[in-house]
Amino acid sequence: MTKLFGTNGVRGVVNEDMTSELALAMGKAIGSYLRKTKDKPSVAIGTDARISNVMLKTSCTSGLLSVGCDVVDLGILPTPTLQFAVKEKNFDAGVIITASHNPPQFNGIKVIDGDGTELAKDQEEEIEKIYFSGNIEKTPWDKVGTFSQWNGAIDLYKKSILSNVNVTAIKNAKTSVVLDCGNGAGCFVAPSLLNELDCKVRELNCEPDGLFRGRPSEPVPENLKELMSIVPEEGAEFGVAQDGDADRAIFVDEKGNFVFGDKSFALIARYIVRQRGGGKVVTPVSTSSCLEEVVKAEGGEVIYTAVGSPIVARVMKKVDAVFGGEENGGLIFPEHQYCRDSAMTIAKMLELLAIENRPLSELIDELPKYEVVKLKTHCPNDKKSQVMNRLSEIVADESEVESIDRTDGVKIYTKNGWVLVRPSGTEPIFRIFAESKEKSRADNLALKYKKLVEEIVQ
């Protein structure tokens, strides 16, 4: 069967793959799936700041209404804000129109479960079956859904963040921050949240712009050069950048150095586990060993999952974890909600710095040093499982291999480093992650296994 859902919802280029017709049919399929368990499901819908948002939201809303769902429009807002509203206001589901960090010509549709988490893979597959069957029953004229609007989601969300951090310590610190919302949905939450916490804020790209004219939406070093130069000029304690739908936060230290997501993750994990006197932290197999080293040192335990924040969130709930997240800046705070949340991450970093009363660069320097290399190589989707099986056979006979983990892809542990080879869920490629204390060892591992995958593909 053709796949609709990738790792994070359904995405495509607007008016090419992501059309109003697709959004209409998706709305009908989502609504039909929800109506299997409830006669009149309530669905919250919202969008990020892209220029195609109204077109796709209107089409998707029409599909939901036509099969008997009641729809409440929450407006433009970050993905985690909509997720929080779904959970707290007892909606049966949510739909967010977003393509996250993708360029402005893309948009997407992501479905949120009633508990605020992203749908599990088997639920997405059910919606796909309904979508492709075309067997959708429209409701009688007098049973179509109702439509309304509600603008209270942002205030509800900020109130929860403020109740889950040490507001007094943050306000007393009067932290200076350079905030780069990247012209995305974060503009509607982060500036006002920081002002409420008495921070001195220099705003950068904090006006919504669906064309992302300030900078590309993905918060990677090459896109954050302006932020990295302004932070030391301003004498700010740190800078922070969000992606398009504001579920991820990436930091810049007071010297203007880019802080990779695995470092900020490890720093906040250490702080939380130390405060709790232990606890479980959940993360995908692709995360740096830096996390495990600091968590174990504080009496905690790391549990590894397959890649994908919905998987991490569900395992966190199951094991009652104190914290979780991914190495891309997407962190999950269970006391607030079970999804990646950039605004909560920024607030927790403010608290950490206020309590520690030391520069961010100094705290980052204390963390264990690991070198991480990330590569990718082409592989047709229909060959991926064969490549995986053959790779497992080959590495099983390698003398340098100490153990193999098949949680997601093939993770190969060697004496002084590991390498993870996994097929992308969204593209015809394999991703290769390698890590070691030594840069040359990480480079060699990544190149060796990239070459091996290419040989198997051929």
Side-chain angles (χ1 to χ4, degrees):
M1 185 178 76
T2 313
K3 291 292 289 178
L4 266 180
F5 288 91
T7 307
N8 236 317
V10 180
R11 287 188 200 169
V13 175
V14 173
N15 280 347
E16 290 180 22
D17 349 77
M18 182 53 62
T19 62
S20 54
E21 291 85 357
L22 181 139
L24 175 68
M26 276 291 295
K28 291 178 181 178
I30 294 162
S32 300
Y33 168 74
L34 295 172
R35 287 204 59 205
K36 286 183 173 185
T37 52
K38 189 166 183 181
D39 186 45
K40 198 91 172 179
S42 61
V43 182
I45 196 164
T47 76
D48 69 13
R50 292 163 193 268
I51 59 173
S52 54
N53 59 6
V54 174
M55 176 187 96
L56 296 170
K57 178 177 71 176
T58 306
S59 296
C60 189
T61 297
S62 182
L64 288 160
L65 294 170
S66 74
V67 296
C69 294
D70 292 335
V71 178
V72 181
D73 183 2
L74 307 190
I76 304 177
L77 73 180
T79 294
T81 310
L82 179 125
Q83 289 179 272
F84 187 78
V86 168
K87 170 176 76 95
E88 289 297 303
K89 300 298 281 185
N90 297 315
F91 285 99
D92 295 303
V95 173
I96 185 84
I97 308 296
T98 180
S100 185
H101 60 273
N102 289 125
Q105 64 269 33
F106 283 81
N107 214 331
I109 300 170
K110 192 191 287 191
V111 189
I112 307 304
D113 210 348
D115 62 357
T117 62
E118 293 165 46
L119 285 194
K121 196 53 68 186
D122 59 334
Q123 293 171 295
E124 290 178 340
E125 285 168 1
E126 282 289 313
I127 292 170
E128 278 184 358
K129 277 184 201 162
I130 295 166
Y131 177 93
F132 287 114
S133 74
N135 188 18
I136 291 164
E137 284 185 39
K138 293 187 274 296
T139 51
W141 68 270
D142 57 346
K143 295 283 195 301
V144 298
T146 61
F147 176 78
S148 58
Q149 293 168 306
W150 180 58
N151 64 3
I154 287 171
D155 287 341
L156 183 75
Y157 169 71
K158 286 196 296 188
K159 189 177 173 186
S160 173
I161 292 172
L162 294 171
S163 72
N164 282 298
V165 293
N166 187 333
V167 171
T168 305
I170 296 170
K171 285 187 171 184
N172 288 341
K174 301 248 183 290
T175 310
S176 175
V177 180
V178 183
L179 171 68
D180 183 352
C181 295
N183 302 125
C187 297
F188 295 89
V189 171
S192 60
L193 178 70
L194 288 177
N195 286 325
E196 285 175 46
L197 288 166
D198 290 353
C199 295
K200 181 190 169 195
V201 185
R202 164 76 187 271
E203 294 185 4
L204 198 60
N205 306 314
C206 288
E207 317 77 35
D209 178 354
L211 296 173
F212 300 139
R213 279 174 280 216
R215 66 159 168 88
S217 179
E218 174 78 335
V220 290
E222 54 268 31
N223 295 339
L224 300 183
K225 291 202 164 33
E226 188 181 11
L227 176 65
M228 290 157 75
S229 67
I230 287 175
V231 171
E233 282 171 17
E234 284 280 316
E237 270 90 347
F238 68 86
V240 62
Q242 296 172 299
D243 65 335
D245 68 335
D247 62 355
R248 295 188 291 128
I250 287 290
F251 294 91
V252 170
D253 73 19
E254 79 285 357
K255 297 175 181 176
N257 298 314
F258 184 93
V259 178
F260 284 92
D262 56 348
K263 299 284 190 188
S264 50
F265 184 11
L267 186 64
I268 295 174
R270 183 177 71 176
Y271 175 70
I272 289 172
V273 174
R274 184 180 287 168
Q275 278 194 318
R276 302 288 182 90
K280 296 182 174 75
V281 177
V282 180
T283 195
V285 289
S286 54
T287 296
S288 168
S289 307
C290 172
L291 176 77
E292 183 161 358
E293 198 169 322
V294 300
V295 167
K296 277 186 171 175
E298 299 297 334
E301 176 191 356
V302 173
I303 293 171
Y304 291 101
T305 71
V307 173
S309 59
I311 300 168
V312 174
R314 282 179 167 77
V315 173
M316 285 178 70
K317 288 181 92 166
K318 188 177 169 186
V319 304
D320 195 23
V322 297
F323 189 46
E326 302 173 304
E327 42 73 45
N328 59 9
L331 307 185
I332 303 172
F333 300 82
E335 64 274 20
H336 171 54
Q337 64 173 339
Y338 284 96
C339 70
R340 300 186 300 192
D341 194 317
S342 70
M344 183 68 204
T345 302
I346 296 166
K348 189 56 81 171
M349 183 64 88
L350 283 165
E351 179 192 301
L352 185 159
L353 291 173
I355 298 293
E356 293 278 353
N357 196 24
R358 288 193 290 152
L360 179 56
S361 63
E362 192 179 301
L363 294 166
I364 294 294
D365 278 346
E366 285 180 354
L367 296 172
K369 304 284 189 291
Y370 285 90
E371 298 289 344
V372 179
V373 177
K374 297 179 183 181
L375 302 175
K376 57 187 177 183
T377 186
H378 180 79
C379 175
N381 288 327
D382 60 359
K383 283 190 176 181
K384 283 177 178 174
S385 61
Q386 290 168 271
V387 171
M388 291 282 294
N389 292 335
R390 182 68 189 121
L391 180 67
S392 298
E393 288 170 10
I394 293 168
V395 298
D397 295 329
E398 294 237 343
S399 58
E400 71 166 0
V401 174
E402 293 188 339
S403 63
I404 298 169
D405 183 341
R406 288 294 306 263
T407 302
D408 188 355
V410 181
K411 189 172 184 180
I412 302 139
Y413 290 92
T414 70
K415 188 178 177 183
N416 52 1
W418 58 257
V419 60
L420 171 67
V421 181
R422 64 175 292 273
S424 166
T426 53
E427 301 171 73
I429 60 171
F430 265 88
R431 300 189 190 280
I432 297 102
F433 300 74
E435 180 186 86
S436 175
K437 295 265 187 184
E438 303 152 24
K439 179 79 167 67
S440 59
R441 174 65 176 157
D443 284 333
N444 290 341
L445 278 170
L447 289 167
K448 174 182 174 177
Y449 285 93
K450 177 177 182 275
K451 188 178 175 209
L452 183 54
V453 168
E454 288 165 351
E455 286 170 0
I456 296 169
V457 169
Q458 285 166 9

